[in-house]
Amino acid sequence: MAEYRIDDLARAAGTTVRNIRAYQDRGLLPPPQLKGRVGIYDDSHLARLRLIGQLLKRGYTFAVIKDLVGAWETGKDVSEVLGLEKVLTDPWSDEIPGTASVEELVATFGAGLAEDEVARMLDRTVALGLIEPEGDHYRVPSPRLLHVGAELVAAGIPLDAVLDIAEQIRADCEVIAGRFVNLVHEHVFQRLETDIPPSGEDIGEIAAVVRRMRPLVRMVVDPFIARAMETRVQAALGAQLETIRDHLARERA
């Protein structure tokens, strides 16, 4: 196995000497082997540091990491747990967030509005999660949603009405998401809620179900939305279309 002094180990692991010592103090990293007065680390220390770094990036606390490391040391396979955690925390969209300046937002959505109205609209848009303050500009989590809003405003729909419908649709989507999650929780996740610890195979199967849900949700929602829109558009505009036809018929007569 390779041997490292503490500064070499820190460079190899992409961390700092201070962090390594802190991890040792917390019991996350075993002490080095002493050769004379020099502490010597090996590849097992490097692997442990890389695992700790990955867990910290995923938001685990030091206490949870210590438990997982303890499980690892006793021969338990924690990879299934980490795999399930990754499936649960990975984003469900491959959309790349964008940015927008205040001037760009005002030009697109607030042209002609008074300054206090612009401030109110920005606050409301932030509250809906459509934009997020980030220094001297705004982060846009979903440029697609912002584009839809811009198209609706350009079509003559007031911005307040666009934000109203965005809030309602968000609430509807939360209901739909809740129904899917409740379905999976009732029939899949409850396998974990027993006095017997789940096996690696059980956790792997649950992770696979959650992974398959991603395309399934879209496959279910898209057709229902399409059919509902067809029905609603025909019902809402059908009468107006008949009125237009009658008007044109009278003009020809």
Side-chain angles (χ1 to χ4, degrees):
M1 298 181 71
E3 295 184 346
Y4 308 88
R5 293 176 178 245
I6 191 168
D7 52 345
D8 297 326
L9 180 66
R11 280 195 296 271
T15 186
T16 65
V17 170
R18 183 178 179 181
N19 283 342
I20 292 175
R21 288 178 173 149
Y23 299 155
Q24 288 178 185
D25 291 342
R26 292 174 180 271
L28 302 177
L29 189 70
Q33 179 183 357
L34 290 177
K35 290 189 177 181
R37 302 179 67 178
V38 178
I40 300 297
Y41 300 84
D42 57 33
D43 285 334
S44 66
H45 293 93
L46 179 59
R48 176 72 59 83
L49 281 173
R50 287 173 173 166
L51 174 63
I52 292 171
Q54 291 173 359
L55 295 176
L56 287 173
K57 287 180 180 178
R58 295 186 185 184
Y60 286 100
T61 64
F62 283 114
V64 173
I65 292 174
K66 188 172 183 179
D67 289 341
L68 287 172
V69 167
W72 190 23
E73 287 178 334
T74 57
K76 297 179 181 178
D77 190 352
V78 300
S79 62
E80 290 88 355
V81 177
L82 298 181
L84 177 59
E85 188 272 344
K86 185 176 187 302
V87 169
L88 294 176
T89 58
D90 275 353
W92 280 56
S93 172
D94 58 0
E95 188 173 10
I96 299 174
T99 60
S101 66
V102 174
E103 293 76 17
E104 290 171 335
L105 292 171
V106 170
T108 303
F109 298 98
L113 292 178
E115 188 174 336
D116 59 336
E117 277 295 289
V118 169
R120 184 178 68 83
M121 292 299 184
L122 286 174
D123 288 344
R124 190 175 179 197
T125 308
V126 170
L128 286 171
L130 300 175
I131 58 175
E132 300 170 354
E134 195 172 75
D136 60 353
H137 62 278
Y138 288 90
R139 179 178 180 271
V140 182
S142 175
R144 295 172 189 165
L145 286 178
L146 208 66
H147 173 73
V148 171
E151 289 293 318
L152 294 174
V153 169
I157 300 175
L159 180 55
D160 261 325
V162 171
L163 295 178
D164 286 343
I165 193 67
E167 186 172 7
Q168 293 165 11
I169 291 175
R170 185 184 67 172
D172 292 339
C173 288
E174 288 175 354
V175 171
I176 293 171
R179 287 172 177 164
F180 271 100
V181 170
N182 290 340
L183 178 71
V184 176
H185 182 271
E186 179 181 355
H187 298 284
V188 180
F189 280 14
Q190 283 189 351
R191 299 179 198 171
L192 299 177
E193 299 176 2
T194 64
D195 295 333
I196 303 174
S199 66
E201 183 178 354
D202 292 333
I203 295 174
E205 289 178 358
I206 292 171
V209 170
V210 176
R211 193 177 297 112
R212 288 199 299 271
M213 280 180 63
R214 296 172 183 264
L216 291 177
V217 170
R218 293 181 180 178
M219 290 171 65
V220 169
V221 173
D222 285 351
F224 276 121
I225 288 291
R227 293 179 183 178
M229 286 299 297
E230 288 174 5
T231 302
R232 289 301 184 99
V233 167
Q234 290 172 8
L237 301 182
Q240 294 186 20
L241 182 58
E242 287 298 324
T243 300
I244 293 172
R245 286 176 178 170
D246 292 343
H247 176 71
L248 291 176
R250 286 195 300 268
E251 284 188 344
R252 293 192 189 100

